[in-house]
Amino acid sequence: MQAIAPKTTLIDLQYLGYPEAIAACLLEGDGELALVDPGPTTCLATLERELAGHGIRLKDLTALLLTHIHLDHAGASGVLVRKNPRLRVYVHERGAPHLADPSKLLASAERLYGDQMQRLWGEVAPVPPENLQALRGGETLPLGGRKIAVAYTPGHAAHHVSYFDASTGIAFVGDTCGLRYPGFSIVLPLTPPPDIDLEAWQRSWEQIRAWEPERLFPTHFGPAGNVEEHLAQLAERTARWAEYARQTLEQAGSDADRASRFLQMVESELHRELPAEAVRRHLAGTAPEQCWYGLARYWRKREG
Ligand SMILES: [Zn+2]
């Protein structure tokens, strides 16, 4: 656990044993113990241990602020509610039904992860509807003496929201602002299927910019300053990767061939900017082949 602002603590969930892959954030105050994106169930033992080191039990948590329902962010929600039935689970209204009944979410994840589902994510339990607090964006949540602003920020996912804590200047942006590892200035887009929407994404960046945050908190991984530079680089790289994907769609071959050509383009771009060891780590974090499928689906949908 690492304090990043008053009563604001980063928790490294040590996903599959890897440090700095998935970050949760604990917000404390006035009888509230809220977690932004609790992560997948495979990280629950780490979460429990980290909280215990801070004198907090899972039963003490009061709320989950979910940016979106992808399993690396929200997979543990149902199991957490089972252990702590008073937990309030904040989520965009389009995500809420898929937490109550995760069958479609699981089917969609299975197309990407196949027989690796259990190893990567563990159990995905339903969240009872009475625990769900559906958001549309535009709300201000009073939370332990803070006011947390909510914005609807689609682009990465059609049900993505971001949260802004004006008291600390931190915007919790989930995957809307890409991936950026501590100690690196490189920002990478995350564009998995099924609902990449580049136009909506631009509007989401504008919403986040309008908060004038001092720091962004991408789930992958943790607080990132230089907000303007971050957003500018992300917009530029997203446009470039979208263009790589569009070019592959004009070429012959199967989708698997196209995805692997896209991977090569991304790989050689990263090799120009990063040492080899860092390239491997960034590729593992972004999964460029999945990014290709997300972008290809976007282009094909656009072309009707
Ligand atoms: Zn993610």
Side-chain angles (χ1 to χ4, degrees), residues 21-22 37 67-68 70-73 156 174-175 190 192 219-220 285:
I22 301 180
D37 284 351
T67 60
H68 62 305
H70 291 168
L71 298 174
D72 55 329
H73 297 253
H156 170 85
D175 287 344
L190 297 164
T219 301
H220 320 287

Side-chain angles (χ1 to χ4, degrees), residues 72-73 165 187-188 203 212 227:
D72 55 329
H73 297 253
D165 181 356
V187 182
L188 303 183
R203 293 191 291 274
E212 301 184 0
V227 172

Side-chain angles (χ1 to χ4, degrees), residues 10-225:
L10 179 153
I11 303 173
D12 185 339
L13 294 176
Q14 301 276 340
Y15 176 59
L16 304 177
Y18 294 101
E20 296 183 347
I22 301 180
C25 194
L26 177 69
L27 304 178
E28 299 173 68
D30 287 358
E32 287 277 3
L33 284 169
L35 266 185
V36 181
D37 284 351
T41 306
T42 42
C43 293
L44 202 54
T46 305
L47 177 66
E48 194 164 7
R49 192 180 59 238
E50 291 289 310
L51 290 172
H54 213 63
I56 298 167
R57 300 162 302 175
L58 293 180
K59 274 198 294 217
D60 301 325
L61 294 173
T62 56
L64 303 179
L65 303 181
L66 304 181
T67 60
H68 62 305
I69 65 173
H70 291 168
L71 298 174
D72 55 329
H73 297 253
S77 303
V79 175
L80 281 166
V81 171
R82 194 167 65 213
K83 291 172 180 279
N84 174 359
R86 72 185 182 122
L87 258 186
R88 310 183 318 272
V89 180
Y90 293 92
V91 63
H92 188 260
E93 59 183 2
R94 292 175 74 164
H98 301 292
L99 290 184
D101 173 8
S103 55
K104 276 193 187 147
L105 173 66
L106 288 172
S108 154
E110 246 168 62
R111 281 196 287 276
L112 292 176
Y113 303 107
D115 60 3
Q116 295 300 302
M117 287 289 288
Q118 193 59 33
R119 182 182 73 84
L120 297 174
W121 315 118
E123 183 186 0
V124 179
V127 177
E130 58 270 26
N131 292 83
L132 292 168
Q133 307 274 330
L135 301 167
R136 311 184 71 165
E139 297 87 349
T140 304
L141 309 175
L143 198 103
R146 312 170 198 236
K147 292 193 178 90
I148 306 287
V150 183
Y152 177 46
T153 54
H156 170 85
H159 61 276
H160 199 299
V161 293
S162 297
Y163 301 95
F164 181 56
D165 181 356
S167 72
T168 60
I170 299 175
F172 297 95
V173 293
D175 287 344
T176 302
C177 296
L179 167 153
R180 182 180 178 182
Y181 288 136
F184 291 93
S185 56
I186 192 164
V187 182
L188 303 183
L190 297 164
T191 65
D195 29 61
I196 296 307
D197 180 338
L198 298 181
E199 285 73 27
W201 213 328
Q202 306 240 2
R203 293 191 291 274
S204 297
W205 293 328
E206 286 316 313
Q207 294 235 33
I208 289 164
R209 196 176 261 127
W211 280 332
E212 301 184 0
E214 281 166 40
R215 284 181 287 173
L216 304 172
F217 188 107
T219 301
H220 320 287
F221 176 96

